[in-house]
Short mmCIF file of all heavy atoms in Angstrom, two decimals:
data_model
loop_
_atom_site.label_atom_id
_atom_site.label_comp_id
_atom_site.label_asym_id
_atom_site.label_seq_id
_atom_site.Cartn_x
_atom_site.Cartn_y
_atom_site.Cartn_z
N VAL Y 23 0.85 -1.18 -0.07
CA VAL Y 23 0.00 0.05 -0.05
C VAL Y 23 0.82 1.18 0.01
O VAL Y 23 0.63 2.19 -0.65
CB VAL Y 23 -1.00 -0.03 1.21
CG1 VAL Y 23 -1.71 1.38 1.31
CG2 VAL Y 23 -1.92 -1.13 1.15
N ALA Y 24 1.90 1.21 0.83
CA ALA Y 24 2.83 2.46 0.85
C ALA Y 24 3.58 2.62 -0.44
O ALA Y 24 3.69 3.71 -0.97
CB ALA Y 24 3.88 2.20 2.04
N ASP Y 25 3.93 1.56 -1.10
CA ASP Y 25 4.62 1.63 -2.37
C ASP Y 25 3.59 2.04 -3.46
O ASP Y 25 4.03 3.01 -4.25
CB ASP Y 25 5.06 0.21 -2.79
CG ASP Y 25 5.73 0.14 -4.12
OD1 ASP Y 25 6.75 0.86 -4.30
OD2 ASP Y 25 5.35 -0.58 -4.93
N LEU Y 26 2.40 1.61 -3.32
CA LEU Y 26 1.42 2.13 -4.32
C LEU Y 26 1.13 3.61 -4.28
O LEU Y 26 0.91 4.22 -5.36
CB LEU Y 26 0.10 1.37 -4.00
CG LEU Y 26 -1.14 1.62 -5.03
CD1 LEU Y 26 -0.89 1.04 -6.43
CD2 LEU Y 26 -2.40 0.92 -4.35
N HIS Y 27 1.24 4.15 -3.12
CA HIS Y 27 0.89 5.62 -2.88
C HIS Y 27 2.10 6.53 -2.68
O HIS Y 27 2.01 7.79 -2.55
CB HIS Y 27 -0.08 5.74 -1.69
CG HIS Y 27 -1.42 5.16 -1.90
ND1 HIS Y 27 -1.59 3.86 -1.48
CD2 HIS Y 27 -2.51 5.64 -2.48
CE1 HIS Y 27 -2.90 3.49 -1.84
NE2 HIS Y 27 -3.44 4.63 -2.42
N GLY Y 28 3.35 5.90 -2.67
CA GLY Y 28 4.51 6.71 -2.45
C GLY Y 28 4.52 7.43 -1.14
O GLY Y 28 4.88 8.62 -1.07
N ASP Y 29 4.41 6.66 -0.03
CA ASP Y 29 4.21 7.22 1.23
C ASP Y 29 5.57 7.77 1.85
O ASP Y 29 5.62 8.70 2.65
CB ASP Y 29 3.71 6.18 2.32
CG ASP Y 29 2.19 5.93 2.15
OD1 ASP Y 29 1.58 6.72 1.42
OD2 ASP Y 29 1.75 4.98 2.77
N THR Y 30 6.62 7.16 1.41
CA THR Y 30 8.00 7.65 1.85
C THR Y 30 8.68 8.31 0.69
O THR Y 30 8.33 8.14 -0.46
CB THR Y 30 8.90 6.58 2.37
OG1 THR Y 30 9.18 5.68 1.32
CG2 THR Y 30 8.19 5.70 3.50
N LEU Y 31 9.68 9.08 1.08
CA LEU Y 31 10.44 9.78 -0.11
C LEU Y 31 11.05 8.67 -1.00
O LEU Y 31 11.03 8.94 -2.26
CB LEU Y 31 11.53 10.60 0.54
CG LEU Y 31 11.04 11.96 1.24
CD1 LEU Y 31 12.33 12.58 1.80
CD2 LEU Y 31 10.35 12.83 0.27
N GLU Y 32 11.57 7.63 -0.57
CA GLU Y 32 12.19 6.48 -1.39
C GLU Y 32 11.04 5.90 -2.36
O GLU Y 32 11.25 5.72 -3.55
CB GLU Y 32 12.83 5.55 -0.62
CG GLU Y 32 13.30 4.33 -1.39
CD GLU Y 32 14.24 4.59 -2.48
OE1 GLU Y 32 14.91 5.67 -2.39
OE2 GLU Y 32 14.45 3.84 -3.47
N GLN Y 33 9.88 5.74 -1.72
CA GLN Y 33 8.79 5.13 -2.43
C GLN Y 33 8.24 6.06 -3.42
O GLN Y 33 7.88 5.67 -4.63
CB GLN Y 33 7.70 4.61 -1.50
CG GLN Y 33 8.06 3.40 -0.80
CD GLN Y 33 7.25 3.15 0.46
OE1 GLN Y 33 6.63 4.12 1.00
NE2 GLN Y 33 7.04 1.89 0.94
N ALA Y 34 8.25 7.41 -3.15
CA ALA Y 34 7.75 8.38 -4.11
C ALA Y 34 8.74 8.47 -5.19
O ALA Y 34 8.36 8.76 -6.34
CB ALA Y 34 7.64 9.75 -3.33
N ARG Y 35 10.09 8.43 -4.90
CA ARG Y 35 11.09 8.56 -5.98
C ARG Y 35 10.96 7.35 -6.95
O ARG Y 35 11.06 7.56 -8.17
CB ARG Y 35 12.49 8.60 -5.29
CG ARG Y 35 13.59 8.76 -6.38
CD ARG Y 35 14.88 8.33 -5.81
NE ARG Y 35 15.00 6.97 -5.47
CZ ARG Y 35 15.19 5.97 -6.30
NH1 ARG Y 35 15.31 6.27 -7.60
NH2 ARG Y 35 15.20 4.71 -5.94
N ARG Y 36 10.78 6.15 -6.38
CA ARG Y 36 10.80 4.95 -7.23
C ARG Y 36 9.41 4.87 -7.96
O ARG Y 36 9.50 4.51 -9.14
CB ARG Y 36 10.95 3.80 -6.36
CG ARG Y 36 11.02 2.40 -7.03
CD ARG Y 36 11.27 1.27 -6.10
NE ARG Y 36 10.18 1.09 -5.13
CZ ARG Y 36 10.38 1.11 -3.82
NH1 ARG Y 36 11.52 1.29 -3.27
NH2 ARG Y 36 9.32 0.92 -3.01
N GLY Y 37 8.33 5.15 -7.33
CA GLY Y 37 7.01 5.20 -8.00
C GLY Y 37 6.47 3.76 -8.05
O GLY Y 37 7.31 2.81 -8.02
N ASN Y 38 5.30 3.56 -8.27
CA ASN Y 38 4.64 2.31 -8.54
C ASN Y 38 4.72 2.03 -10.02
O ASN Y 38 5.34 2.78 -10.87
CB ASN Y 38 3.14 2.23 -8.08
CG ASN Y 38 2.28 3.23 -8.73
OD1 ASN Y 38 2.30 3.39 -9.96
ND2 ASN Y 38 1.43 3.90 -7.97
N ASN Y 39 4.28 0.87 -10.42
CA ASN Y 39 4.40 0.44 -11.90
C ASN Y 39 3.06 0.54 -12.62
O ASN Y 39 2.72 -0.40 -13.39
CB ASN Y 39 5.01 -0.96 -11.88
CG ASN Y 39 5.45 -1.26 -13.37
OD1 ASN Y 39 5.91 -0.44 -14.07
ND2 ASN Y 39 5.34 -2.57 -13.68
N LEU Y 40 2.21 1.35 -12.18
CA LEU Y 40 0.83 1.59 -12.92
C LEU Y 40 1.05 2.67 -14.04
O LEU Y 40 1.26 3.80 -13.71
CB LEU Y 40 -0.22 2.01 -11.88
CG LEU Y 40 -0.84 0.96 -10.93
CD1 LEU Y 40 -1.65 1.67 -9.96
CD2 LEU Y 40 -1.50 -0.10 -11.74
N GLN Y 41 1.03 2.11 -15.22
CA GLN Y 41 1.12 2.79 -16.43
C GLN Y 41 0.24 2.21 -17.47
O GLN Y 41 -0.37 1.15 -17.25
CB GLN Y 41 2.52 2.91 -16.95
CG GLN Y 41 3.64 3.34 -15.95
CD GLN Y 41 3.61 4.85 -15.77
OE1 GLN Y 41 3.02 5.60 -16.47
NE2 GLN Y 41 4.27 5.37 -14.68
N LYS Y 42 0.09 2.81 -18.68
CA LYS Y 42 -0.79 2.24 -19.60
C LYS Y 42 -0.45 0.75 -19.98
O LYS Y 42 -1.42 -0.10 -20.08
CB LYS Y 42 -0.81 3.01 -20.87
CG LYS Y 42 -1.80 2.62 -21.91
CD LYS Y 42 -1.90 3.49 -23.15
CE LYS Y 42 -2.93 2.98 -24.14
NZ LYS Y 42 -3.10 3.93 -25.32
N PRO Y 43 0.77 0.36 -20.17
CA PRO Y 43 1.08 -0.99 -20.53
C PRO Y 43 0.77 -2.02 -19.38
O PRO Y 43 0.62 -3.22 -19.67
CB PRO Y 43 2.52 -1.08 -20.87
CG PRO Y 43 2.84 0.40 -21.14
CD PRO Y 43 1.96 1.13 -20.28
N THR Y 44 0.68 -1.66 -18.10
CA THR Y 44 0.47 -2.44 -17.02
C THR Y 44 -0.81 -2.34 -16.40
O THR Y 44 -1.31 -3.22 -15.58
CB THR Y 44 1.61 -2.21 -15.93
OG1 THR Y 44 1.57 -0.96 -15.69
CG2 THR Y 44 2.94 -2.60 -16.45
N SER Y 45 -1.56 -1.31 -16.70
CA SER Y 45 -2.90 -1.07 -16.08
C SER Y 45 -3.94 -1.84 -17.06
O SER Y 45 -4.61 -1.22 -17.79
CB SER Y 45 -3.24 0.35 -15.97
OG SER Y 45 -2.35 1.02 -15.10
N LEU Y 46 -4.06 -3.10 -16.84
CA LEU Y 46 -4.92 -3.95 -17.73
C LEU Y 46 -6.11 -4.38 -17.08
O LEU Y 46 -6.29 -4.38 -15.85
CB LEU Y 46 -4.07 -5.22 -18.06
CG LEU Y 46 -2.68 -5.02 -18.58
CD1 LEU Y 46 -1.92 -6.42 -18.77
CD2 LEU Y 46 -2.72 -4.25 -19.89
N ASN Y 47 -7.20 -4.65 -17.87
CA ASN Y 47 -8.37 -5.25 -17.34
C ASN Y 47 -8.28 -6.72 -17.02
O ASN Y 47 -7.11 -7.32 -17.25
CB ASN Y 47 -9.51 -4.98 -18.28
CG ASN Y 47 -9.51 -5.67 -19.61
OD1 ASN Y 47 -8.84 -6.78 -19.78
ND2 ASN Y 47 -10.30 -5.19 -20.65
N GLU Y 48 -9.31 -7.32 -16.51
CA GLU Y 48 -9.16 -8.71 -16.08
C GLU Y 48 -8.94 -9.66 -17.24
O GLU Y 48 -8.58 -10.84 -16.94
CB GLU Y 48 -10.40 -9.13 -15.28
CG GLU Y 48 -11.69 -9.42 -16.10
CD GLU Y 48 -12.41 -8.16 -16.59
OE1 GLU Y 48 -11.96 -6.99 -16.20
OE2 GLU Y 48 -13.54 -8.27 -17.13
N LYS Y 49 -9.14 -9.23 -18.45
CA LYS Y 49 -8.95 -10.11 -19.62
C LYS Y 49 -7.43 -9.93 -20.14
O LYS Y 49 -7.09 -10.51 -21.07
CB LYS Y 49 -9.88 -9.71 -20.79
CG LYS Y 49 -11.37 -9.88 -20.31
CD LYS Y 49 -12.30 -9.33 -21.41
CE LYS Y 49 -13.68 -9.36 -21.02
NZ LYS Y 49 -14.66 -8.82 -21.97
N GLY Y 50 -6.66 -9.07 -19.49
CA GLY Y 50 -5.35 -8.78 -19.98
C GLY Y 50 -5.32 -7.73 -21.07
O GLY Y 50 -4.18 -7.65 -21.64
N GLU Y 51 -6.32 -6.99 -21.16
CA GLU Y 51 -6.44 -6.05 -22.29
C GLU Y 51 -6.07 -4.58 -21.72
O GLU Y 51 -6.46 -4.30 -20.63
CB GLU Y 51 -7.78 -5.97 -22.92
CG GLU Y 51 -8.23 -7.27 -23.46
CD GLU Y 51 -9.69 -7.33 -23.71
OE1 GLU Y 51 -10.46 -6.56 -23.18
OE2 GLU Y 51 -10.13 -8.18 -24.59
N PRO Y 52 -5.40 -3.83 -22.55
CA PRO Y 52 -5.05 -2.43 -22.10
C PRO Y 52 -6.34 -1.54 -22.24
O PRO Y 52 -7.28 -1.92 -22.89
CB PRO Y 52 -4.01 -1.96 -23.18
CG PRO Y 52 -4.31 -2.70 -24.33
CD PRO Y 52 -4.66 -4.16 -23.86
N ILE Y 53 -6.34 -0.51 -21.41
CA ILE Y 53 -7.43 0.45 -21.38
C ILE Y 53 -7.12 1.60 -22.33
O ILE Y 53 -5.99 2.14 -22.28
CB ILE Y 53 -7.74 0.96 -19.96
CG1 ILE Y 53 -7.82 -0.17 -18.99
CG2 ILE Y 53 -8.83 1.96 -19.94
CD1 ILE Y 53 -8.97 -1.14 -19.24
N ASN Y 54 -8.12 1.94 -23.17
CA ASN Y 54 -7.85 3.12 -24.05
C ASN Y 54 -7.49 4.33 -23.31
O ASN Y 54 -8.01 4.71 -22.16
CB ASN Y 54 -9.11 3.45 -24.88
CG ASN Y 54 -9.36 2.59 -26.02
OD1 ASN Y 54 -8.51 1.48 -26.17
ND2 ASN Y 54 -10.31 2.92 -26.84
N GLY Y 55 -6.47 5.12 -23.72
CA GLY Y 55 -6.05 6.34 -23.07
C GLY Y 55 -5.94 7.49 -23.97
O GLY Y 55 -6.63 7.55 -25.09
N VAL Y 56 -5.20 8.42 -23.65
CA VAL Y 56 -5.05 9.71 -24.45
C VAL Y 56 -4.51 9.23 -25.81
O VAL Y 56 -3.50 8.53 -25.96
CB VAL Y 56 -4.08 10.63 -23.78
CG1 VAL Y 56 -3.75 11.83 -24.67
CG2 VAL Y 56 -4.68 11.21 -22.47
N GLY Y 57 -5.17 9.67 -26.87
CA GLY Y 57 -4.68 9.34 -28.27
C GLY Y 57 -5.57 8.11 -28.77
O GLY Y 57 -5.40 7.97 -30.04
N ASP Y 58 -6.29 7.53 -28.01
CA ASP Y 58 -7.17 6.40 -28.44
C ASP Y 58 -8.61 6.91 -28.55
O ASP Y 58 -9.01 7.87 -27.94
CB ASP Y 58 -7.14 5.23 -27.48
CG ASP Y 58 -5.75 4.68 -27.31
OD1 ASP Y 58 -5.02 4.56 -28.36
OD2 ASP Y 58 -5.36 4.28 -26.13
N THR Y 59 -9.38 6.16 -29.41
CA THR Y 59 -10.88 6.59 -29.61
C THR Y 59 -11.68 5.39 -29.26
O THR Y 59 -11.51 4.34 -29.99
CB THR Y 59 -11.05 7.04 -31.00
OG1 THR Y 59 -10.21 8.15 -31.30
CG2 THR Y 59 -12.47 7.48 -31.19
N PRO Y 60 -12.52 5.49 -28.30
CA PRO Y 60 -12.71 6.55 -27.30
C PRO Y 60 -11.70 6.51 -26.21
O PRO Y 60 -11.23 5.39 -25.91
CB PRO Y 60 -14.17 6.37 -26.78
CG PRO Y 60 -14.29 4.85 -26.86
CD PRO Y 60 -13.57 4.35 -28.00
N ASN Y 61 -11.41 7.59 -25.58
CA ASN Y 61 -10.55 7.61 -24.42
C ASN Y 61 -11.34 7.15 -23.27
O ASN Y 61 -12.46 7.67 -22.99
CB ASN Y 61 -10.04 9.09 -24.17
CG ASN Y 61 -9.20 9.22 -22.91
OD1 ASN Y 61 -8.74 8.23 -22.37
ND2 ASN Y 61 -8.89 10.40 -22.52
N ARG Y 62 -10.81 6.13 -22.49
CA ARG Y 62 -11.53 5.55 -21.36
C ARG Y 62 -10.72 5.56 -20.14
O ARG Y 62 -10.93 4.69 -19.32
CB ARG Y 62 -12.05 4.18 -21.77
CG ARG Y 62 -12.92 4.09 -22.96
CD ARG Y 62 -13.18 2.64 -23.31
NE ARG Y 62 -14.31 2.07 -22.53
CZ ARG Y 62 -14.42 0.84 -22.18
NH1 ARG Y 62 -13.37 0.02 -22.32
NH2 ARG Y 62 -15.43 0.33 -21.40
N HIS Y 63 -9.72 6.43 -20.07
CA HIS Y 63 -8.73 6.43 -19.01
C HIS Y 63 -9.19 6.94 -17.63
O HIS Y 63 -8.46 6.69 -16.58
CB HIS Y 63 -7.41 7.12 -19.41
CG HIS Y 63 -7.45 8.52 -19.49
ND1 HIS Y 63 -6.30 9.25 -19.60
CD2 HIS Y 63 -8.42 9.37 -19.28
CE1 HIS Y 63 -6.68 10.62 -19.63
NE2 HIS Y 63 -7.96 10.72 -19.43
N ASP Y 64 -10.28 7.53 -17.44
CA ASP Y 64 -10.90 8.03 -16.21
C ASP Y 64 -11.27 6.88 -15.39
O ASP Y 64 -12.25 6.16 -15.69
CB ASP Y 64 -11.99 9.02 -16.48
CG ASP Y 64 -11.59 10.41 -16.92
OD1 ASP Y 64 -10.33 10.65 -16.83
OD2 ASP Y 64 -12.44 11.19 -17.28
N MET Y 65 -10.68 6.75 -14.21
CA MET Y 65 -11.00 5.73 -13.21
C MET Y 65 -11.70 6.28 -12.04
O MET Y 65 -11.22 7.34 -11.39
CB MET Y 65 -9.72 4.93 -12.76
CG MET Y 65 -8.96 4.38 -13.88
SD MET Y 65 -9.78 2.75 -14.52
CE MET Y 65 -10.01 3.43 -16.19
N LEU Y 66 -12.85 5.77 -11.68
CA LEU Y 66 -13.55 6.19 -10.44
C LEU Y 66 -12.61 5.88 -9.28
O LEU Y 66 -12.24 4.61 -9.05
CB LEU Y 66 -14.92 5.44 -10.30
CG LEU Y 66 -15.87 5.70 -11.55
CD1 LEU Y 66 -17.10 4.78 -11.30
CD2 LEU Y 66 -16.28 7.14 -11.72
N THR Y 67 -12.46 6.76 -8.38
CA THR Y 67 -11.72 6.52 -7.14
C THR Y 67 -12.30 7.17 -5.94
O THR Y 67 -12.22 6.80 -4.78
CB THR Y 67 -10.15 6.95 -7.17
OG1 THR Y 67 -10.10 8.29 -7.14
CG2 THR Y 67 -9.54 6.32 -8.46
N GLY Y 68 -12.86 8.46 -6.04
CA GLY Y 68 -13.32 9.32 -4.99
C GLY Y 68 -12.19 9.58 -3.90
O GLY Y 68 -12.49 9.88 -2.82
N SER Y 69 -10.92 9.52 -4.35
CA SER Y 69 -9.84 9.59 -3.48
C SER Y 69 -8.91 10.77 -3.66
O SER Y 69 -8.80 11.29 -4.76
CB SER Y 69 -8.93 8.18 -3.50
OG SER Y 69 -9.85 7.17 -3.26
#
């Protein structure tokens, strides 16, 4: 959880590995993002 959110300076520097190539759906498919049609990169979080 701390790594995911960059709670420490070292974790913030390193960063998590959530990017377009790794943020996949349960089928292993990438999510359309900026430059794709339609763009679907907005994720509900409320956070």
Side-chain angles (χ1 to χ4, degrees):
V23 173
D25 179 58
L26 185 65
H27 295 91
D29 285 350
T30 69
L31 289 176
E32 172 59 23
Q33 288 161 335
R35 182 197 65 78
R36 186 175 64 235
N38 61 46
N39 194 31
L40 283 172
Q41 305 284 346
K42 185 176 181 179
T44 54
S45 296
L46 308 177
N47 66 24
E48 76 277 5
K49 302 175 184 179
E51 302 167 338
I53 306 301
N54 280 9
V56 173
D58 298 322
T59 303
N61 179 12
R62 306 173 80 215
H63 71 174
D64 282 349
M65 299 291 116
L66 303 174
T67 71
S69 303

